Amino acid sequence: MSVVEVPPGDGRLEAVFEVMKELRTHLTFEQFRDGYERAVPEGYRVAAVFEEDSCRAVAGYRLMHNLVSGHHMYVDDLVTAEESRSHGHGKQLNDYLVDVARREGCASVQLDSATYRREAHRFYFRERYAIWSYHFVRPLQGDPAR
């Protein structure tokens, strides 16, 4: 089992999407592929755990810099295929992300997780993540102040 970087246009992207759609249920493959291609110039990358030809876990991440956190890794997406959970694939992928962040000189690895994703939260706590803030969102579609 290995972790590989999967660039846009890679033949394994459809297998990656089959796992990613468990987290991003609103996306079609075309939306995923197009969104990935649009995010690459912003530093977005995809890493995945493969066991032979089967994708077991996927992460979308980027290295970034801001005033509050300095140089850090932000994990946009982190999901293990439902049938592959509790087999160490998520840990293997998280360890890979932490190693990349360390090699790149990042001060931290950060992510957001929806409040209802309690199983994911248990995983993050086991992996030594801590809750540091609330993440607020103001949707703009349908916003009368537009």
Side-chain angles (χ1 to χ4, degrees):
M1 213 158 349
S2 61
V3 179
V4 295
E5 296 278 331
V6 184
D10 190 297
R12 297 170 289 190
L13 205 56
E14 287 190 50
V16 165
F17 174 69
E18 289 303 311
V19 177
M20 182 70 81
K21 75 180 184 181
E22 293 186 29
L23 180 64
R24 306 293 179 222
T25 58
H26 63 287
L27 293 178
T28 64
F29 174 70
E30 292 75 22
Q31 290 170 321
F32 168 67
R33 183 193 60 222
D34 295 347
Y36 183 7
E37 289 173 1
R38 288 184 69 186
V40 166
E42 299 168 1
Y44 185 77
R45 305 176 193 179
V46 171
V49 174
F50 275 88
E51 186 172 30
E52 296 176 15
D53 292 337
S54 296
C55 184
R56 302 299 184 190
V58 176
Y61 70 97
R62 58 188 87 219
L63 303 175
M64 53 195 309
H65 189 96
N66 61 26
L67 296 178
V68 66
S69 301
H71 186 57
H72 66 283
M73 175 184 284
Y74 183 80
V75 180
D76 294 65
D77 322 285
L78 181 56
V79 60
T80 299
E82 186 172 2
E83 71 275 2
S84 297
R85 292 184 185 148
S86 298
H87 291 91
H89 306 301
K91 178 169 180 30
Q92 181 182 10
L93 188 53
N94 184 69
D95 289 348
Y96 172 83
L97 295 172
V98 169
D99 287 345
V100 169
R102 284 188 173 126
R103 278 195 317 269
E104 295 290 335
C106 294
S108 63
V109 176
Q110 301 180 22
L111 56 85
D112 289 321
S113 181
T115 56
Y116 62 87
R117 297 192 67 230
R118 289 184 174 85
E119 291 296 317
H121 302 163
R122 281 194 276 280
F123 171 78
Y124 298 135
F125 287 133
R126 273 195 316 269
E127 294 301 310
R128 298 186 309 245
Y129 289 84
I131 298 172
W132 280 31
S133 67
Y134 289 102
H135 179 88
F136 291 92
V137 175
R138 179 180 173 176
L140 299 178
Q141 285 193 328
D143 186 343
R146 277 180 117 178

